[in-house]
């Protein structure tokens, strides 16, 4: 019998995959299961019993803490523990796994890479942490189908043989420290993405990120660096036009304009040099990094430059990541609910030059909020706090901007609308997880959008 601990999307998908493979399955969750399952899958709700210790293998869902007593007992007994990612990768038919991780930018980059590959290979599938677990499609894809995976540190913790042909680490900043305990452990989990790669594979890394530069020395794959800040002898980077300043480059929804001047993408890779103008609808310097990483992954996978340029010029970004909602009485409303950590919110604040009214708060992750203080002092007109960590944020950011607690989203949106003037940006960028008030960040973002659309 094989045990699956945690009955979220990944756990349920893993249980169903095991059932299709003809295995006896015990699915265990502390909550009552609400999803239909094949009758042959045994279910226990409300606890993780010692029956799991009778299993030959345990699959740990991403949201399940690795220090659960039942897992500690299993380790003492020598029972192997895999992530859903490890299970699915062992059984997927695809031989073209492409895996993307990083603290920030994973969803945007994975979506964009998926669009590049879909325009080139119709059989492309996008899966993983972005929505559809790999287990749900493992047996359905062909051997030649590229599978683009967003993978998290939680998923990478319990791999053994997971082997992408192309991997990418976009950046590494403090996040999920309440789970990993230390920054060292968090970085180690991220680094496992290239653990089984060889010199025949490619790993895309951020040359501007100190952690990524260090990890490059440990990577057995061919490293493909990207940089927003400097030229690279080998890799991909941004080059400003000699005529910079003569005109604005369109960047983003709702009429947002980017920095003046034209920029070019330059690729030096495997004795080829390619240069083309950057035409993008994505706002902010962080999205330049997402674009560079995504283009690098596509180039490494053989996607033609003509396809890359066409897709990039049309790509509008993803829901909940600096997503324009509407413009009302001259103020723009932006949904950045995907900003579930402090660094994501820092990136969002740096993406706008207009006065900001920012809604922050939720379930904290143990990271300090003080790193936001300088940006808030410079750019934020008013800070409106919601959720469980509101008192902590208020204490740590005291004096940086006028701020007030409003408890829940409906009150925060109403207060933000009352305070907004023409030319302002009302930005939901929580810097926190959503689980104190919502099931996930998507639900939080959709609540924000619904409330904004009701404003008159």
């Amino acid at each position: 019998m094989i045990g699956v601990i945690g009955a979220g999307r990944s756990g349920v998908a893993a249980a169903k995959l095991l059932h299709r493979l003809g295995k006896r399955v015990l699915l265990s969750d502390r909550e009552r299961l609400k999803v239909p399952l094949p009758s042959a899958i045994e279910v226990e709700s409300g606890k993780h019993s010692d029956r799991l210790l009778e299993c030959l293998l345990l699959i740990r869902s991403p949201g399940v803490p690795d220090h659960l007593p039942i897992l500690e007992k299993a380790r003492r007994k020598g029972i192997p523990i895999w992530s859903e990612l490890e299970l699915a990768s062992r059984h997927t038919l695809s031989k073209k796994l492409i895996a993307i991780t990083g603290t920030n930018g994973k969803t945007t980059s994975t979506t964009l890479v998926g669009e590049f590959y879909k325009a080139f290979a119709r059989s492309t599938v996008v899966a993983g942490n972005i929505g559809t677990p790999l287990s749900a499609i493992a047996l359905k894809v062909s051997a030649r189908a590229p599978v683009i995976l967003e993978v998290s540190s939680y998923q990478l913790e319990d791999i053994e043989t997971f082997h992408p042909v192309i991997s990418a680490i976009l950046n590494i900043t403090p996040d999920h420290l309440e789970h990993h305990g230390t920054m060292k452990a968090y970085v180690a989990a991220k680094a496992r993405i290239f653990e089984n790669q060889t010199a025949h594979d490619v790993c895309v890394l951020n040359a501007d990120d100190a952690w990524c530069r260090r990890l490059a020395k440990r990577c057995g794959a061919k490293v493909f660096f990207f940089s927003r800040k400097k030229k690279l002898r080998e890799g991909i980077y941004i080059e400003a036009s000699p005529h910079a300043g003569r005109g604005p480059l369109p960047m983003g929804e709702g009429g947002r304009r980017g920095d003046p001047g034209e920029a070019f993408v330059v690729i030096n890779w495997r004795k080829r040099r390619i240069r083309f103008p950057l035409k993008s609808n994505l706002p902010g310097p962080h999205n330049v990094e997402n674009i560079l990483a995504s283009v690098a992954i596509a180039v490494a996978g053989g996607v033609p430059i003509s396809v890359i340029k066409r897709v990039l010029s049309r790509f509008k970004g993803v829901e909940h990541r600096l997503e324009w909602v509407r413009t009302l009485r001259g103020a723009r409303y932006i949904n950045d609910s995907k900003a579930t950590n402090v660094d994501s919110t820092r990136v969002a604040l740096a993406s706008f030059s207009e006065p900001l009214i920012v809604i922050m708060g939720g379930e904290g992750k143990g990271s300090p909020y003080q790193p936001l203080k300088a940006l808030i002092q410079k750019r934020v007109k008013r800070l409106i706090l919601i959720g469980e960590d509101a008192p902590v944020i208020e204490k740590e950011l005291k004096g940086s901007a006028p701020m007030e607690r409003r408890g829940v989203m409906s009150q925060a949106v109403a207060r933000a609308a009352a305070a907004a003037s023409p030319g302002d940006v009302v930005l939901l960028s929580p810097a926190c997880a959503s689980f104190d008030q919502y099931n996930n960040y998507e639900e939080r973002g959709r609540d924000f959008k619904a409330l904004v659309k009701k404003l008159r």
Side-chain angles (χ1 to χ4, degrees):
M1 183 165 63
I2 298 176
V4 179
I5 303 179
R9 280 185 296 197
S10 294
V12 169
K16 289 181 176 179
L17 172 60
L18 289 164
H19 172 65
R20 286 193 291 271
L21 293 169
K23 309 296 183 182
R24 285 182 60 211
V25 185
L26 171 61
L27 178 59
S28 175
D29 197 279
R30 287 179 171 176
E31 305 294 329
R32 183 173 296 277
L33 271 69
K34 300 178 182 178
V35 295
L37 291 166
S39 59
I41 295 177
E42 189 176 344
V43 173
E44 66 171 19
S45 300
K47 61 180 179 179
H48 299 308
S49 76
D50 283 353
R51 287 211 57 216
L52 290 164
L53 302 179
E54 301 170 13
C55 295
L56 299 175
L57 168 69
L58 294 178
I59 308 299
R60 177 169 71 95
S61 295
V64 174
D66 66 349
H67 57 267
L68 282 183
I70 194 67
L71 291 172
E72 293 175 353
K73 289 180 183 179
R75 291 187 186 100
R76 287 196 293 269
K77 283 195 67 175
I79 300 172
I81 300 171
W82 294 353
S83 64
E84 176 269 336
L85 180 68
E86 174 67 17
L87 170 70
S89 67
R90 287 182 180 231
H91 294 285
T92 185
L93 301 176
S94 172
K95 305 301 181 186
K96 295 183 179 180
L97 297 183
I98 297 167
I100 301 167
T101 195
T103 305
N104 299 306
K106 294 188 295 296
T107 300
T108 297
S109 298
T110 302
T111 304
L112 180 54
V113 171
E115 293 301 308
F116 287 150
Y117 277 80
K118 286 175 184 176
F120 178 56
R122 291 183 180 178
S123 58
T124 298
V125 176
V126 178
N129 199 48
I130 198 168
T132 302
L134 181 58
S135 290
I137 54 96
L139 301 180
K140 300 176 183 178
V141 297
S142 70
R144 299 179 62 185
V147 176
I148 318 299
L149 296 169
E150 177 186 325
V151 298
S152 70
S153 57
Y154 291 6
Q155 294 169 307
L156 290 166
E157 276 182 317
D158 294 324
I159 65 161
E160 289 183 8
T161 63
F162 175 64
H163 183 169
V165 294
I166 302 173
S167 67
I169 304 178
L170 305 177
N171 46 62
I172 303 178
T173 57
D175 194 18
H176 301 303
L177 299 186
E178 80 291 351
H179 174 88
H180 294 286
T182 66
M183 192 65 187
K184 182 179 179 181
Y186 177 53
V187 174
K190 290 292 190 188
R192 299 201 71 185
I193 196 170
F194 57 70
E195 184 175 291
N196 297 306
Q197 288 191 291
T198 71
H200 299 291
D201 304 313
V202 174
C203 180
V204 175
L205 293 172
N206 187 345
D208 301 332
D209 183 287
W211 286 110
C212 287
R213 291 196 303 272
R214 290 175 201 152
L215 291 179
K217 300 172 184 177
R218 296 165 41 188
C219 182
K222 172 67 174 175
V223 172
F224 194 157
F225 274 122
F226 67 92
S227 175
R228 179 175 60 86
K229 299 178 179 179
K230 56 192 175 187
K231 294 183 178 181
L232 301 174
R233 289 179 60 188
E234 188 170 30
I236 180 171
Y237 62 93
I238 286 292
E239 182 177 77
S241 165
H243 306 295
R246 292 191 178 182
L249 181 67
M251 297 283 279
E253 291 282 357
R256 169 136 172 81
R257 308 294 284 191
D259 293 331
E262 190 170 34
F264 290 83
V265 176
V266 181
I267 306 168
N268 294 322
W269 177 246
R270 291 180 171 165
K271 299 181 180 180
R272 295 175 64 203
R273 179 178 171 85
I274 302 165
R275 185 175 183 270
F276 62 88
L278 172 61
K279 302 294 185 184
S280 169
N281 296 294
L282 304 183
H286 66 290
N287 271 322
V288 174
E289 296 179 1
N290 293 335
I291 289 167
L292 292 174
S294 301
V295 172
I297 294 166
V299 168
V303 178
I305 293 298
S306 59
V307 172
I308 291 171
K309 289 165 63 177
R310 182 176 75 251
V311 171
L312 183 57
S313 68
R314 298 173 181 174
F315 185 65
K316 300 292 186 182
V318 298
E319 189 180 19
H320 310 301
R321 196 66 183 107
L322 292 179
E323 176 194 11
W324 176 78
V325 180
R326 72 181 294 194
T327 299
L328 178 66
R329 293 188 290 274
R332 289 188 301 124
Y333 290 76
I334 305 293
N335 169 29
D336 195 40
S337 184
K338 185 71 167 64
T340 59
N341 59 62
V342 171
D343 196 62
S344 290
T345 294
R346 179 194 61 77
V347 165
L349 296 176
S351 297
F352 298 94
S353 57
E354 300 94 330
L356 295 171
I357 298 171
V358 180
I359 300 173
M360 279 180 62
E363 182 182 279
K365 293 185 171 183
S367 298
Y369 298 98
Q370 287 98 331
L372 298 175
K373 201 163 189 175
L375 263 177
I376 288 173
Q377 286 174 332
K378 183 178 179 181
R379 305 198 175 189
V380 175
K381 174 179 172 180
R382 181 172 295 275
L383 197 56
I384 301 172
L385 307 178
I386 62 172
E388 187 178 279
D389 238 28
V392 180
I393 299 171
E394 185 176 44
K395 181 179 178 181
E396 293 192 21
L397 297 181
K398 185 177 180 180
S400 58
M403 67 179 74
E404 57 194 276
R405 293 191 220 171
R406 287 288 163 165
V408 296
M409 188 69 73
S410 58
Q411 295 172 346
V413 169
R415 181 68 187 98
S421 301
D424 289 349
V425 169
V426 175
L427 172 67
L428 168 66
S429 193
C432 293
S434 57
F435 304 120
D436 57 333
Q437 296 181 343
Y438 299 94
N439 289 319
N440 47 53
Y441 75 82
E442 294 101 329
E443 184 179 293
R444 175 173 62 189
R446 287 169 189 148
D447 186 30
F448 172 76
K449 291 196 292 183
L451 291 165
V452 167
K453 288 174 182 177
K454 290 178 182 177
L455 292 172
R456 295 292 180 262

